[in-house]
Amino acid sequence: MRVLSIFTRGIVQATRDKLTLILTLFTTPLFIFFYWFFLGTNPKISIGYYIEIDSENPIYIAEKNYISKIFTKWEKESPGNFKIQKIETLSDFKNRKKNNNFDISINIKIEKLNEDLSLPKKQKINITLEDIAGTEHSANSLILAKLFLDDYFLNQNEIYIVNASYSVEKKNSKILNHTFALFVPGFLVFSVMMILFSTTIAVTNEIESGVFLRYILSDTPISEFLLGNGLVQFFNAVISIIISTILASLLGFDFQGKIFSTIIICILGALACIGIGLFISAFMKSSSQAFLSSSFVMFILLLFSGIAFPMPVAWIVLPGIEKINFFSLLPTSLLKNSLELLLFSNKNLADLIQNILLLTGSMLFYFTVGVLFFKRIYKVRLNS
């Protein structure tokens, strides 16, 4: 096999073009740094919560104390930099809201329990979140609060029946705050997407310069050529992802001890993007075509994955599965969703097995399709 020699040659060639190598490895880390440097980190978001109960029955008191401990744990573990206050009385809660003493309010109402202990207990809880500050920072933080509460209560559905509502009080605030933590997963996805661009350009350059033809004339299988070049891009992707995660951590993002898990998930996404890059390069005849085509595909992924814009909805029904949003199956959508669940909740890699399997399946699909299409198209071209 000549995979190793192709990989070695690719690494040597990459080191010769230092500007391209620097842009490949450091584009996303530079974005992360400049975003942090110019916009800065954020002051703590102040959250006030009040737990409303129907009576002073010890059962309700115990449940109230238990939910309070959840908020205490959230404040300690959350990377969102929150300051959480427990408000003891309803009148105080309303006054503080009126006076804008906190940015986000959370009202949790514990409705009557089934007090017949011989029957299964189902606890109904009504949750209302309200954006008091009306800034971009508080709006983004409201999303984090919703993710946390949904993750806890919806995963406890054998105990709780949750009726959650979310409302926003409009304010004419001209202050623009930005949440550095909220955008780190998006930057990591972008770091992975960059490898699609570099894969398409690198493989097309090999074809355009005649290197690919020389490999074919020396009886090198097309699959080995693709694998060798794919390994070069994989190597670049791993380095870029590691640099991006370390930099984000140094700038204050709290990975909660999950840096290794974050890198593993990003690597799966990178392999899918390498496969897409191989697929695109099969149709390219020049570097200019590769540049424009890969840029267009990257924009499409940004547009439809919910990274830079809201994700559109196109429901599809699969046999034996409930309807699912087609755009949520894109590799970048799967990657973004997996990173947010990992970094913005108490989940670890083992809890995300379904997401990991979907991301792995996506990686295998795109990589296999990329290799098969490339081989098929160039066998036809070489025989013609």
Side-chain angles (χ1 to χ4, degrees):
M1 291 182 67
R2 301 183 181 180
V3 173
L4 184 59
S5 64
I6 296 172
F7 169 74
T8 304
R9 178 188 173 278
I11 294 296
V12 172
Q13 287 293 106
T15 55
R16 288 176 179 172
D17 190 348
K18 292 181 174 55
L19 178 59
T20 301
L21 180 63
I22 290 171
L23 290 174
T24 301
L25 299 180
F26 292 99
T27 295
T28 303
L30 284 173
F31 283 165
I32 293 174
F33 175 77
F34 285 129
Y35 187 92
W36 172 85
F37 181 78
F38 288 108
L39 301 177
T41 54
N42 300 283
K44 284 190 175 183
I45 279 286
S46 174
I47 295 179
Y49 73 95
Y50 172 70
I51 304 174
E52 186 177 351
I53 56 178
D54 284 337
S55 75
E56 295 299 316
N57 187 301
I59 296 176
Y60 303 123
I61 299 295
E63 188 70 17
K64 180 178 180 179
N65 293 335
Y66 182 69
I67 294 177
S68 296
K69 290 179 181 179
I70 295 171
F71 279 91
T72 302
K73 182 180 179 182
W74 178 27
E75 185 175 20
K76 291 179 179 178
E77 296 182 357
S78 173
N81 210 19
F82 297 114
K83 179 183 178 182
I84 301 177
Q85 304 170 272
K86 179 182 178 182
I87 313 301
E88 297 294 344
T89 65
L90 181 59
S91 59
D92 190 23
F93 182 67
K94 290 180 177 179
N95 287 333
R96 287 173 181 248
K97 282 177 58 178
K98 184 178 179 181
N99 296 326
N100 297 334
N101 292 139
F102 34 72
D103 303 305
I104 294 173
S105 70
I106 302 177
N107 185 21
I108 298 179
K109 183 178 181 182
I110 305 174
E111 296 192 356
K112 284 189 176 181
L113 277 165
N114 180 359
E115 297 182 26
D116 184 352
L117 298 181
S118 64
L119 298 175
K121 290 191 295 182
K122 278 284 189 176
Q123 176 63 63
K124 187 172 183 180
I125 294 180
N126 289 298
I127 304 173
T128 303
L129 286 85
E130 197 170 354
D131 181 358
I132 305 298
T135 66
E136 181 179 346
H137 186 25
S138 62
N140 290 332
S141 298
L142 189 73
I143 297 172
L144 282 181
K146 178 184 181 299
L147 284 172
F148 172 79
L149 294 171
D150 281 351
D151 178 59
Y152 179 78
F153 287 112
L154 295 182
N155 287 337
Q156 303 286 334
N157 56 14
E158 73 281 1
I159 301 174
Y160 299 105
I161 300 174
V162 180
N163 178 24
S165 61
Y166 307 93
S167 60
V168 177
E169 181 179 334
K170 298 292 184 180
K171 296 286 184 179
N172 295 322
S173 174
K174 296 183 179 180
I175 301 174
L176 291 179
N177 294 304
H178 298 265
T179 308
F180 175 66
L182 278 174
F183 289 94
V184 168
F187 280 128
L188 293 178
V189 176
F190 185 77
S191 177
V192 168
M193 287 176 57
M194 284 293 295
I195 215 64
L196 182 159
F197 180 82
S198 63
T199 299
T200 308
I201 296 294
V203 174
T204 305
N205 278 338
E206 295 283 84
I207 297 168
E208 193 176 26
S209 64
V211 173
F212 171 65
L213 183 59
R214 290 199 294 271
Y215 277 124
I216 297 301
L217 293 175
S218 63
D219 294 326
T220 301
I222 294 177
S223 58
E224 292 187 16
F225 167 79
L226 295 176
L227 185 57
N229 279 278
L231 284 174
V232 175
Q233 300 308 316
F234 176 75
F235 182 75
N236 290 338
V238 171
I239 293 177
S240 179
I241 291 165
I242 291 174
I243 293 173
S244 297
T245 51
I246 291 176
L247 179 62
S249 180
L250 292 174
L251 295 178
F253 183 80
D254 185 7
F255 283 93
Q256 306 176 72
K258 301 175 184 177
I259 287 185
F260 180 74
S261 298
T262 301
I263 292 172
I264 293 296
I265 291 176
C266 287
I267 285 174
L268 291 175
L271 288 170
C273 287
I274 291 172
I276 297 174
L278 294 177
F279 176 79
I280 298 171
S281 63
F283 300 92
M284 300 300 105
K285 296 181 180 179
S286 65
S287 297
S288 58
Q289 288 183 0
F291 174 81
L292 293 173
S293 299
S294 57
S295 299
F296 175 75
V297 173
M298 285 179 63
F299 176 76
I300 291 297
L301 291 174
L302 279 172
L303 185 64
F304 293 141
S305 298
I307 299 169
F309 309 96
M311 183 189 297
V313 175
W315 297 110
I316 57 174
V317 179
L318 300 176
I321 304 177
E322 294 183 2
K323 65 178 182 179
I324 188 170
N325 185 5
F326 170 78
F327 296 107
S328 67
L329 297 177
L330 294 174
T332 42
S333 300
L334 293 170
L335 178 59
K336 177 177 178 287
N337 183 49
S338 298
L339 288 174
E340 287 181 343
L341 287 173
L342 180 71
L343 299 174
F344 294 151
S345 70
N346 294 325
K347 295 182 182 295
N348 52 41
L349 209 56
D351 298 321
L352 299 176
I353 187 66
Q354 181 178 353
N355 296 71
I356 299 300
L357 289 175
L358 285 171
L359 198 53
T360 303
S362 174
M363 175 267 292
L364 292 172
F365 172 78
Y366 287 106
F367 202 87
T368 303
V369 167
V371 171
L372 291 178
F373 263 84
F374 192 98
K375 290 175 67 174
R376 181 177 178 82
I377 289 173
Y378 271 92
K379 280 183 179 178
V380 173
R381 288 183 181 177
L382 292 170
N383 292 330
S384 61

